[in-house]
Amino acid sequence: MPHVPASPVDFDLRLVRYFTVVAKHGNFHRAAAALHLAQPSLSRQIQRLEERLGVRLLDRTPQGSHLTEAGQAFLPQAEALLHSAELAAAKARAAAVPGTVTIGYAGGLIVTAAVRELRSRHPDAEVRTLHLDWSDVRPALLEHRVDAVIAREPFPTGQLRVTILYEEPRMLLVPTTHRLAGKESITLEDFADEPLVRYADADYDAFWRIDPRPDGRPAPDGPLVEAHADKLESVAGGRALALAPAGGGNGTVRRDLTAIPVEGIEPCKVVIVTRARERSRLVTAFRESARSSSHRSRF
């Protein structure tokens, strides 16, 4: 290992990012899979970074990899370096003329009014829209595929700024032949023993199945679903019921389903989400448009 490190200005940010991923996983094999790289290639890239620094960052063992003292000291600085690079890129994009902003939306929410208002206020800007799956809200923002998103909670919010726009009651989706169909409203006790469709994300699943229940009991398990259409099919086929937002249009998508208001449970929140340190004037303007549109007509 050379004792004279290269100048820090020669850092390859890709190598720095590879190091943080290996440090996170504590294992070259898992880190390589996460990065979609071959393990020998990843090992060589880490060696290149160590050569540039002139220190060993990781101890390799058959059980995995462990940070050396130098690695422990370097990790927070590496993370800060990557964050600074991301922020620099975001500021550069925000300063571009004419301005460009991409607005994401998820879960059937309509952003037309807010986007139209933004375009009216900033006619020289290029305003794009992109539909996202609820699970893609945070990745899309942190990867700069979008600059702001209108979505429903819950979802991971680390490094994000979340502003509540309004709340929506939750409804219970049931087949039109179900015993509760036709009720004006119900409570949790009316369907407490019936299975609800499950979701892979733990926080999302807990919120939309009310699991555990207020008395501590686990919610009965229904089938695991990944797509909205699969959820509707599971309900229509009598395999389970599902909670859904009142504004999601779920009860009118299929004629064999109906939605019943559920009283006494926490509503869901419709929010606008941006990167925590976002400084784009167009993102700020869209946040204002979204707020005003939600007060008038909920988009």
PDB file of all heavy atoms in Angstrom, residues 77 244 257:
ATOM      1  N   GLN A  77     -17.139  11.230   6.325  1.00  0.00           N
ATOM      2  CA  GLN A  77     -16.669  12.230   5.374  1.00  0.00           C
ATOM      3  C   GLN A  77     -17.036  11.833   3.950  1.00  0.00           C
ATOM      4  O   GLN A  77     -17.364  12.691   3.111  1.00  0.00           O
ATOM      5  CB  GLN A  77     -15.148  12.388   5.494  1.00  0.00           C
ATOM      6  CG  GLN A  77     -14.667  12.756   6.883  1.00  0.00           C
ATOM      7  CD  GLN A  77     -15.295  14.045   7.397  1.00  0.00           C
ATOM      8  OE1 GLN A  77     -15.486  14.984   6.636  1.00  0.00           O
ATOM      9  NE2 GLN A  77     -15.618  14.076   8.685  1.00  0.00           N
ATOM     10  N   ALA A 244     -58.658   1.790   1.595  1.00  0.00           N
ATOM     11  CA  ALA A 244     -58.200   2.641   0.494  1.00  0.00           C
ATOM     12  C   ALA A 244     -58.558   4.084   0.813  1.00  0.00           C
ATOM     13  O   ALA A 244     -59.477   4.354   1.595  1.00  0.00           O
ATOM     14  CB  ALA A 244     -58.857   2.205  -0.812  1.00  0.00           C
ATOM     15  N   LEU A 257     -67.169  -3.871  -7.169  1.00  0.00           N
ATOM     16  CA  LEU A 257     -66.650  -3.405  -5.890  1.00  0.00           C
ATOM     17  C   LEU A 257     -67.421  -2.179  -5.433  1.00  0.00           C
ATOM     18  O   LEU A 257     -67.956  -1.419  -6.237  1.00  0.00           O
ATOM     19  CB  LEU A 257     -65.167  -3.029  -6.008  1.00  0.00           C
ATOM     20  CG  LEU A 257     -64.174  -4.117  -6.381  1.00  0.00           C
ATOM     21  CD1 LEU A 257     -62.777  -3.533  -6.457  1.00  0.00           C
ATOM     22  CD2 LEU A 257     -64.222  -5.267  -5.392  1.00  0.00           C
TER      23      LEU A 257
END
